[in-house]
Amino acid sequence: MTSIDPSYYLNNQPPKKTGSDDLGKDDFLKILMAQLQNQDPLDPMEDKEFVSQMAQFSSLEQMTNMSSTMDNFTKSQRSIPVIQYSGLIGKEVTYPVYDKETEAVEAFKEGKVNSVSQEDGDTFLLLKDGGKVPVDEITKVTEAKE
């Protein structure tokens, strides 16, 4: 006797899913248009209900636009610290040197700034002697002594 492959059983099929779980403004408009096209002519949608749905759509569109604007704003703000601190290039900066065991300030050191870099959201000054100092640790800025 021949057996049937279990993958052919209906209850054994993996669910087929397309698209995403999120409803966007296009989906909202499609639902609204389907409601309007398929409404009962003897019992049409009330004005209040229609206005309410349009207000929800308008609110959704404004939130989407605001989210997009905020994303663009945060992307534009990422490079500002590098530009802001680029004025320190060629200047002499003073910064603390910490004791590795106690983490107390051991001394203050000076160095000439060669460039400014940004890594993982933190801004650093790269010094002529090869040192790398976080900008928030700078205690003094002066003209270079050369």
Side-chain angles (χ1 to χ4, degrees):
M1 177 175 220
T2 318
S3 65
I4 298 174
D5 185 1
S7 66
Y8 292 122
Y9 296 148
L10 287 177
N11 62 354
N12 209 16
Q13 297 295 317
K16 294 181 182 177
K17 186 176 179 182
T18 59
S20 70
D21 291 336
D22 298 332
L23 285 176
K25 63 181 180 180
D26 292 334
D27 298 321
F28 188 85
L29 269 180
K30 286 178 188 175
I31 291 169
L32 185 62
M33 291 306 296
Q35 271 184 325
L36 290 173
Q37 289 172 350
N38 297 314
Q39 65 182 330
D40 183 2
L42 299 176
D43 185 24
M45 184 187 299
E46 290 188 29
D47 292 344
K48 292 177 188 175
E49 191 177 337
F50 181 73
V51 168
S52 171
Q53 288 184 352
M54 287 307 293
Q56 287 176 342
F57 173 72
S58 176
S59 177
L60 171 68
E61 188 172 23
Q62 287 175 357
M63 284 190 297
T64 303
N65 292 341
M66 188 184 312
S67 174
S68 174
T69 302
M70 286 303 290
D71 286 344
N72 291 339
F73 176 72
T74 53
K75 285 178 187 174
S76 71
Q77 293 299 307
R78 289 184 186 148
S79 64
I80 286 182
V82 172
I83 296 167
Q84 178 182 1
Y85 293 108
S86 65
L88 295 176
I89 295 174
K91 304 277 184 178
E92 195 83 26
V93 294
T94 304
Y95 58 95
V97 178
Y98 296 98
D99 183 274
K100 292 182 181 177
E101 290 179 15
T102 64
E103 295 183 12
V105 176
E106 191 174 87
F108 286 91
K109 207 172 171 188
E110 290 184 349
K112 184 175 178 183
V113 179
N114 255 5
S115 63
V116 181
S117 72
Q118 191 170 7
E119 299 170 20
D120 299 324
D122 296 323
T123 308
F124 297 93
L125 301 178
L126 304 173
L127 306 178
K128 187 174 183 178
D129 65 3
K132 181 176 169 182
V133 181
V135 293
D136 58 347
E137 290 189 10
I138 299 301
T139 58
K140 185 177 177 183
V141 178
T142 58
E143 289 294 327
K145 296 174 184 172
E146 294 176 38

